[in-house]
Amino acid sequence: MSADWSWLFLDAHGDTMEGEGLTTTGFPTQSDAESYLGESWRDLLAAGVEAVTLRENGSVVYGPMSLRAAE
């Protein structure tokens, strides 16, 4: 299985983030990618990630989606 699903991490300005603690590997399924986010969103927020976009083969599936609770 290939790793076709990936997250794009965005800062408060909507700029792409990369670096330590942010996964650069893809996931084999949408479910795997979403499970990762469900387990890691708090750590991502602590690392400065404000929003994420899910991609499949580089195409946007959905997002950007805020990691903060709706007010």
Side-chain angles (χ1 to χ4, degrees):
M1 235 187 246
S2 63
D4 297 332
W5 296 86
S6 62
W7 290 106
L8 181 65
F9 304 106
L10 305 169
D11 65 15
H13 303 289
D15 296 324
T16 302
M17 294 180 64
E18 297 177 354
E20 190 174 329
L22 303 179
T23 185
T24 57
T25 59
F27 301 89
T29 67
Q30 182 175 356
S31 178
D32 289 334
E34 290 171 339
S35 291
Y36 162 79
L37 187 64
E39 295 169 2
S40 303
W41 69 270
R42 288 176 186 87
D43 294 333
L44 294 170
L45 247 174
V49 176
E50 289 292 325
V52 294
T53 296
L54 182 63
R55 300 181 298 179
E56 180 186 20
N57 295 319
S59 297
V60 172
V61 176
Y62 62 79
M65 176 178 70
S66 176
L67 295 182
R68 297 200 180 270
E71 295 181 19

